[in-house]
C-alpha cells in the first residue's frame, strides 16, 4: 500500500509540474479574487489558491487592435524596443523548422535584490485565432546548452496566455521563481512585471500604422 502512495505522489508532482497542465488549469479556473484596478484601468485578479498563485489581468480594448496586439507580442526581435524593463534581455531562438512556434530566451537580472539572476526559455504558439499561449521549456532541454552558467538560475515551471474575448485583452501568468522569500513579495514583483509588460505591448501596438 505504501508503494502505491509513493507512486501516486510522484505522479501528481509530475502532473502539476507539467506546464501544459498548468496552462489548462489557469485558463479553466473560475475562483478568481479581484484585487484592484490600476490607473490605466487594468483589472488585476489572483487565483484563490495560495499554492498556485496565478495572476490574471484584463483591460477593455478596441477589437480592431487584435492583429496589431498579437503581432507585437510575437515580434521577439524588437523586444528590446517594446519591453521597457531593461533588466530583461531577449533573444529569438526560433528556427525555420518551427515557424509556427516561437522559441525565446530571456535573462532577468536583479529581479529581487541579493538574489541570483534568472533565465528562461519559453515557447509561444497560437492555440486559437484569439489566443496566444506560452510555456517554459524544461531545464534539461538542449536549447539551454549554450546559456548554462553558475551565475544564473534556470526557471522552468511556468506558463501563460494572451487572449482577446469580446472587447477585452486578457493575460494569464504563472511562474515559479524558485526564491525563498515571503510569497507576498513574490506576488507583488510578479504583478508589477506583468502589468508593465501588458502596458508595453499595448503602447507599442498602438504605434503600428
Amino acid at each position: 500500500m505504501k508503494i502505491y502512495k509513493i507512486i501516486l505522489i510522484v505522479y501528481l508532482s509530475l502532473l502539476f509540474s507539467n506546464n501544459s497542465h498548468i496552462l489548462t488549469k489557469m485558463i479553466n479556473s473560475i475562483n478568481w479574487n479581484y484585487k484592484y484596478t490600476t490607473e490605466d484601468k487594468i483589472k488585476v485578479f489572483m487565483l484563490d489558491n495560495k499554492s498556485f498563485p496565478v495572476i490574471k489581468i484584463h483591460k477593455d480594448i478596441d477589437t480592431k487592435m487584435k492583429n496589431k496586439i498579437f503581432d507585437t507580442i510575437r515580434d521577439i526581435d524588437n523586444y528590446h524596443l517594446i519591453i521597457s524593463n531593461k533588466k530583461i534581455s531577449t533573444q529569438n531562438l526560433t528556427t525555420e523548422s518551427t515557424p509556427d512556434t516561437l522559441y525565446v530566451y530571456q535573462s532577468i537580472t536583479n529581479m529581487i535584490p541579493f538574489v541570483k539572476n534568472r533565465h528562461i526559455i519559453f515557447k509561444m504558439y497560437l492555440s486559437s485565432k484569439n489566443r496566444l499561449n506560452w510555456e517554459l521549456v524544461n531545464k534539461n532541454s538542449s536549447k539551454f546548452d549554450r546559456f548554462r552558467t553558475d551565475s544564473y538560475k534556470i526557471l522552468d515551471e511556468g506558463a501563460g496566455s494572451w487572449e482577446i474575448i469580446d472587447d477585452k485583452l486578457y493575460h494569464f501568468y504563472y511562474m515559479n521563481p524558485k526564491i525563498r522569500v515571503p510569497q507576498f513579495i513574490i506576488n507583488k514583483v510578479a504583478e508589477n512585471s506583468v502589468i508593465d509588460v501588458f502596458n508595453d505591448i499595448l503602447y507599442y501596438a498602438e504605434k503600428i500604422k
Side-chain angles (χ1 to χ4, degrees):
M1 185 67 178
K2 186 176 181 180
I3 187 65
Y4 289 117
K5 288 183 179 180
I6 293 174
I7 292 173
L8 178 60
I9 291 171
V10 171
Y11 171 76
L12 291 175
S13 175
L14 289 173
L15 182 64
F16 185 77
S17 65
N18 182 282
N19 290 328
S20 295
H21 174 72
I22 290 173
L23 188 59
T24 300
K25 185 172 181 179
M26 71 168 65
I27 292 173
N28 293 335
S29 293
I30 59 175
N31 298 319
W32 296 99
N33 288 330
Y34 169 76
K35 296 194 68 178
Y36 57 91
T37 299
T38 70
E39 293 181 357
D40 300 310
K41 298 182 180 179
I42 297 172
K43 294 185 182 299
V44 181
F45 300 79
M46 182 73 74
L47 189 64
D48 187 15
N49 185 336
K50 292 183 179 179
S51 63
F52 189 48
V54 180
I55 298 168
K56 179 179 78 170
I57 62 178
H58 70 71
K59 181 179 181 178
D60 291 341
I61 61 164
D62 182 347
T63 52
K64 295 178 182 178
M65 288 285 294
K66 178 203 156 193
N67 289 338
K68 291 182 178 181
I69 290 171
F70 276 20
D71 287 347
T72 300
I73 296 169
R74 292 171 57 86
D75 190 9
I76 308 303
D77 291 330
N78 281 316
Y79 267 29
H80 65 291
L81 301 175
I82 298 170
I83 305 301
S84 58
N85 186 350
K86 300 311 175 185
K87 294 180 180 180
I88 300 176
S89 178
T90 305
Q91 185 173 338
N92 193 346
L93 305 181
T94 309
T95 64
E96 292 182 1
S97 61
T98 60
D100 296 326
T101 300
L102 303 179
Y103 284 88
V104 183
Y105 170 82
Q106 285 188 326
S107 61
I108 306 100
T109 58
N110 298 320
M111 180 173 60
I112 296 178
F114 311 112
V115 171
K116 183 184 286 189
N117 296 330
R118 266 57 179 158
H119 57 170
I120 61 175
I121 293 177
F122 64 89
K123 63 177 182 178
M124 182 187 294
Y125 56 93
L126 273 171
S127 64
S128 73
K129 65 179 182 179
N130 292 320
R131 182 190 294 167
L132 266 172
N133 292 341
W134 61 267
E135 303 174 31
L136 294 190
V137 171
N138 188 277
K139 64 182 179 181
N140 296 318
S141 169
S142 60
K143 294 183 181 297
F144 270 112
D145 288 351
R146 61 187 165 122
F147 300 109
R148 297 188 191 279
T149 171
D150 292 337
S151 60
Y152 282 77
K153 188 177 187 68
I154 295 175
L155 305 182
D156 63 355
E157 184 181 328
S161 177
W162 295 85
E163 186 171 13
I164 294 177
I165 303 175
D166 297 327
D167 58 349
K168 290 180 172 59
L169 174 65
Y170 288 81
H171 187 201
F172 297 85
Y173 173 95
Y174 169 76
M175 192 178 297
N176 181 356
K178 299 181 180 179
I179 301 175
R180 293 184 178 179
V181 298
Q183 190 63 47
F184 76 90
I185 296 178
I186 294 174
N187 291 348
K188 192 59 182 176
V189 170
E191 282 177 24
N192 291 342
S193 178
V194 170
I195 291 169
D196 287 346
V197 171
F198 193 93
N199 278 326
D200 289 342
I201 294 295
L202 288 179
Y203 176 75
Y204 195 87
E206 288 170 356
K207 295 195 301 180
I208 298 175
K209 296 181 180 180

